Amino acid sequence: MLCVRGDIKIRALDFIHKFKLTDAPNHAVEKCKLSLIDLIGVAAAGRSTKLSNIICEHVYEEFNGNLKLLLSSRTSNPLGLALSAGMTIDSIDAHDGFNPAKGHIGCPLFPAILAVARERQLTGKEFLEALLMGYEFGARASVVQHATVPDYHTSGSWGAVTAAAACSRLMNLSAEQTRHALGIAEYHGPRSQMMRCIDNPTMVKDGSGWGAMTGLSAAKLAEKGFTGAPAITVENEEAFWSDIGKHWYMSEQYYKPYPVCRWAQAPIEGAKKLSAKYGFKSSDIKKIEVDTFHEAVRLATNQPTTTEEAQYSTSFPVAVALAKGDVTPQDISDEALNDRAIVRLSKCLVMRESEKANEQFPENRLAKVTIILKNNTSYEGEWIEPKWDAKTPPSEHDILDKFHTLSEPVLSSSDRRNLIEVVKTLEANKCSDLMKLI
């Protein structure tokens, strides 16, 4: 039975409240758990950033409350918690994403659910159901918005509506209250232009923290009777929602092996493959050429001075990969940006726009790398896509290994093991068991 408004059947609204974990295939449930582990690992790495320190201090000082922040001893109210958690995850560009969204569902979604879970007693099953429901809702909300507006907005924009959906479910809002919550969130969500941050990398990032806070605020306002204009992306675009509960986009999320923009990940892989195949030294390189799509070409900072500039660069992480064989959060931290050999390599890289790559974006993020040595030997790679996409996903071991690496400075080995076990069996655990660990 679908929720009905007049003669309009709101399929998405029905899914928000009626979805059950048993409705989803096992592979989607297990992928959702891995995404939760991955998000927590990324947040742990993010806690060392200047961005996270600033936002956690801000919400502690300005949002009075006694709820523990994510992986912090500081406290705030639910809104401050959602804001700081979203921005902390966003501070290290290593979280999961969805190609058609051109962004990240989990980053604005998980913090909003976390805030409700800190405030109210939830079961692990309730937490997991809201998260999986939100991934499915957010996949469609993102695609609808991109298809119906001219600007390329950040994840926080459609993420606000997604967060409102999850919060409405967990707060047991009525169907009508939920409609208002979605409308409030869509109206007030951060319609920030993503390419502004690509061209001028700063701490505003992908707007996910603001989206989480807006979505939670919208649900709380709707609960009190505040009304909102209908969410156009939900109520006026039924075609985009017709397969919800049938097609599971949870299984089509990608993951990041490197803590930089997804658009730079294929060039990193291409450069690493050429280096492994031909065995040249990074000091022998005279020029690096990258053919790719328009948006990636605009990741143009070749001498970053902040970690945000390094994360939204192609040349710098490619240079790190060629010099060190990998790219870690430490390699793109503020303190690691003055290595002369890496800066030299970064300045050697030239970006070229390719129509072939443009035609396939955003479903595919193609790049081709050519490396020219000082002796004029040239090595041309093949067209390549980023590692760990939905077609060639990482194994569970890959994600858990990444989690251990990222969270080791923050979580003890026993806490990491316990957290993995709690998440793997979350539907049978108390949500408080997870809350204590994070």
Side-chain angles (χ1 to χ4, degrees), residues 213-225:
M213 180 178 66
T214 303
L216 177 58
S217 297
K220 285 180 172 290
L221 286 169
E223 186 180 39
K224 293 181 182 298

Side-chain angles (χ1 to χ4, degrees), residues 6 29 48 52 68-69 105 137 176 210 252 299 308 355 362-363 390 423:
V29 176
S48 66
S52 179
K68 282 285 187 71
L69 302 185
I105 301 169
F137 184 98
E176 190 63 16
W210 227 262
E252 298 178 28
L299 296 171
E308 287 77 30
E355 283 306 311
E363 285 75 14
V423 173

Side-chain angles (χ1 to χ4, degrees), residues 77-313:
N77 69 9
L79 301 179
L81 169 56
L83 172 64
S84 62
M87 293 185 76
T88 292
I89 295 168
D90 229 358
S91 71
I92 290 288
D93 207 339
H95 42 302
D96 65 349
F98 181 53
N99 276 354
K102 298 187 282 187
H104 314 274
I105 301 169
C107 193
L109 171 64
F110 164 55
I113 296 173
L114 172 64
V116 177
R118 288 277 205 237
E119 190 178 28
R120 303 175 181 225
Q121 290 197 346
L122 303 178
T123 66
K125 183 171 177 283
E126 288 171 332
F127 189 102
L128 189 59
E129 282 179 333
L131 189 64
L132 180 49
M133 181 283 298
Y135 268 99
E136 294 301 321
F137 184 98
R140 292 160 177 83
S142 64
V143 171
V144 176
Q145 186 173 299
H146 289 316
T148 55
V149 296
D151 276 343
Y152 168 15
H153 296 296
T154 62
S155 299
S157 55
W158 48 263
V161 186
T162 303
C167 293
S168 296
R169 176 189 175 97
L170 292 173
M171 293 164 59
N172 296 312
L173 299 192
S174 69
E176 190 63 16
Q177 287 173 320
T178 301
R179 284 190 61 231
H180 287 298
L182 300 180
I184 296 164
E186 186 182 81
Y187 195 84
H188 289 301
R191 290 294 180 104
S192 35
Q193 297 85 11
M194 188 68 232
M195 296 312 295
R196 285 176 59 191
C197 188
I198 296 298
D199 293 338
N200 302 280
T202 63
M203 292 182 183
V204 296
K205 302 299 286 282
D206 205 24
S208 296
W210 227 262
M213 180 178 66
T214 303
L216 177 58
S217 297
K220 285 180 172 290
L221 286 169
E223 186 180 39
K224 293 181 182 298
F226 198 94
T227 58
I232 296 170
T233 54
V234 177
E235 300 198 16
N236 290 11
E237 302 294 338
E238 175 66 14
F240 288 94
W241 300 92
S242 61
D243 65 350
I244 196 165
K246 301 174 185 176
H247 183 97
W248 298 92
Y249 284 115
M250 183 72 246
S251 299
E252 298 178 28
Q253 308 302 306
Y254 65 72
Y255 298 90
K256 289 185 180 181
Y258 314 112
V260 297
C261 182
R262 186 67 172 175
W263 305 343
Q265 307 244 341
I268 292 172
E269 289 299 326
K272 287 179 66 176
K273 285 195 171 188
L274 289 177
S275 178
K277 182 176 181 178
Y278 296 107
F280 50 79
K281 297 178 181 178
S282 60
S283 57
D284 294 333
I285 296 173
K286 179 174 71 174
K287 188 178 183 182
I288 308 164
E289 298 173 343
V290 173
D291 296 280
T292 189
F293 52 96
H294 169 79
E295 286 82 357
V297 170
R298 287 167 67 173
L299 296 171
T301 304
N302 61 15
Q303 190 170 0
T305 59
T306 66
T307 185
E308 287 77 30
E309 291 179 350
Q311 290 174 47
Y312 286 140
S313 165

Side-chain angles (χ1 to χ4, degrees), residues 300-364:
T301 304
N302 61 15
Q303 190 170 0
T305 59
T306 66
T307 185
E308 287 77 30
E309 291 179 350
Q311 290 174 47
Y312 286 140
S313 165
T314 295
S315 60
F316 192 83
V318 167
V320 170
L322 286 168
K324 297 188 173 185
D326 197 8
V327 185
T328 70
Q330 292 74 32
D331 294 324
I332 47 91
S333 66
D334 290 348
E335 297 77 19
L337 305 180
N338 295 316
D339 185 302
R340 291 184 179 181
I342 291 175
V343 171
R344 183 195 76 81
L345 279 176
S346 182
K347 289 182 175 180
C348 287
L349 190 143
V350 176
M351 304 281 284
R352 298 187 302 211
E353 186 171 337
S354 160
E355 283 306 311
K356 175 184 175 73
N358 281 341
E359 289 170 1
Q360 297 195 39
F361 180 78
E363 285 75 14
N364 302 297

Side-chain angles (χ1 to χ4, degrees), residues 403-404 412-425 429 433-434 437:
F403 167 76
H404 283 295
S412 68
S413 58
S414 61
D415 280 348
R416 296 198 304 274
R417 289 194 302 270
N418 289 340
L419 190 146
I420 291 169
E421 185 58 32
V422 166
V423 173
K424 281 187 173 183
T425 57
N429 280 318
D433 293 339
L434 176 61
L437 288 165

